[in-house]
Amino acid sequence: MRLLSWNVNGLRACLGKGFAESVSALDCDVICLQETKMEPHQADIPLDGYEILYNSAEKKGYSGTAVLTREKYLSSTVGIGIDEHDHEGRVITVEFQDFFLVNCYTPNSQRELARLDYRMRWEDDFRAYLAGLDAKKPVVLCGDLNVAHQEIDLKNPKTNHMSAGFSDQEREKFGQLLAQGMTDTFRHFNPDLTGAYTWWSYMFSARKNNAGWRIDYFVVSDRLMPRVRASLIHSDIMGSDHCPVSLELDI
């Protein structure tokens, strides 16, 4: 099974930048999108054979997630069951026979870490939600998790220390997630690889200069790792300020 995750930074805009062609070429069984910024009736996705699940934010043109699947699934839910967190369209969970797939768009801590206190509550509640799923069957978590875990995961760690996405607090919470029994699949296969990023600012020719951050992930339950065949970053695919990432599972 091949899974894809992509923060499209506005699905309607990305549709006009080759989205369907890029995704079709990757031939994925499940496609997880973040920051869709739309409601289901606002765009048609020209991909045949997929069922589409949406979780749109209550605020118009903001946040939002979607899952496109051509694989049969057992059930799907939106949110994590906590009212404080479930108004921004940030989580879709799809239960397959062998695992739970969780598509997540983690809240950004914002400039000067204005939303860091909320982010910390989110992290603890979301980690508990994943633990509850993992107690039933393995979990595949994907999405824009809005954190670069280690210095290797961004171009300029020193000048970005304590910026949103690279605060000590956010990095520690990601470490707690891994300690809970999960693996960062890309880093597992590429422990020392530098220059591997998934997001670049639109300013200062960042993508041209590969001055980026790795903040988009596939994180899986440790016991699922023997079935992971590949974890890839598709940095050549344009259409957003993020690029897609993919996971190949022997399922």
Side-chain angles (χ1 to χ4, degrees), residues 22-135:
S22 295
V23 168
S24 295
L26 294 173
D27 191 28
C28 293
D29 300 297
V30 185
I31 301 163
C32 295
L33 307 178
Q34 305 89 43
E35 208 169 358
T36 52
K37 298 183 179 179
M38 56 167 278
E39 297 176 57
H41 67 274
Q42 291 183 303
D44 292 322
I45 302 176
L47 294 173
D48 295 329
Y50 291 90
E51 181 179 350
I52 307 176
L53 309 172
Y54 287 99
N55 187 10
S56 300
E58 293 178 5
K59 180 180 178 181
K60 305 295 185 185
Y62 176 72
S63 187
T65 48
V67 174
L68 292 75
T69 178
R70 63 188 186 194
E71 289 287 320
K72 292 182 179 179
Y73 61 93
L74 303 178
S75 65
S76 67
T77 58
V78 297
I80 63 172
I82 297 176
D83 185 70
E84 181 183 20
H85 304 311
D86 286 350
H87 297 273
E88 297 183 350
R90 293 189 177 275
V91 176
I92 300 176
T93 301
V94 183
E95 181 183 3
F96 292 98
Q97 186 66 41
D98 296 310
F99 63 94
F100 287 103
L101 173 64
V102 182
N103 176 24
C104 178
Y105 177 38
T106 299
N108 191 295
S109 293
Q110 300 182 349
R111 186 169 298 176
E112 297 182 356
L113 302 179
R115 212 182 186 195
L116 183 62
D117 288 346
Y118 170 70
R119 170 71 177 266
M120 294 297 99
R121 295 195 301 275
W122 163 276
E123 291 284 351
D124 291 340
D125 291 340
F126 185 60
R127 196 169 64 256
Y129 172 75
L130 294 175
L133 295 177
D134 192 55

Side-chain angles (χ1 to χ4, degrees), residues 106 119-120 122-124 126-127 130 141-150 153 165-188 214-220:
T106 299
R119 170 71 177 266
M120 294 297 99
W122 163 276
E123 291 284 351
D124 291 340
F126 185 60
R127 196 169 64 256
L130 294 175
L141 165 65
C142 71
D144 176 0
L145 303 186
N146 260 318
V147 60
H149 184 213
Q150 303 289 355
D153 293 316
F166 199 60
S167 68
D168 295 340
Q169 296 93 324
E170 291 163 308
R171 296 169 64 194
E172 180 182 0
K173 293 296 184 186
F174 190 83
Q176 290 176 19
L177 174 65
L178 300 183
Q180 186 171 280
M182 303 197 78
T183 298
D184 172 357
T185 59
F186 181 83
R187 197 50 76 194
H188 172 85
R214 189 175 72 92
I215 59 175
D216 301 86
Y217 295 84
F218 272 97
V219 177
V220 309

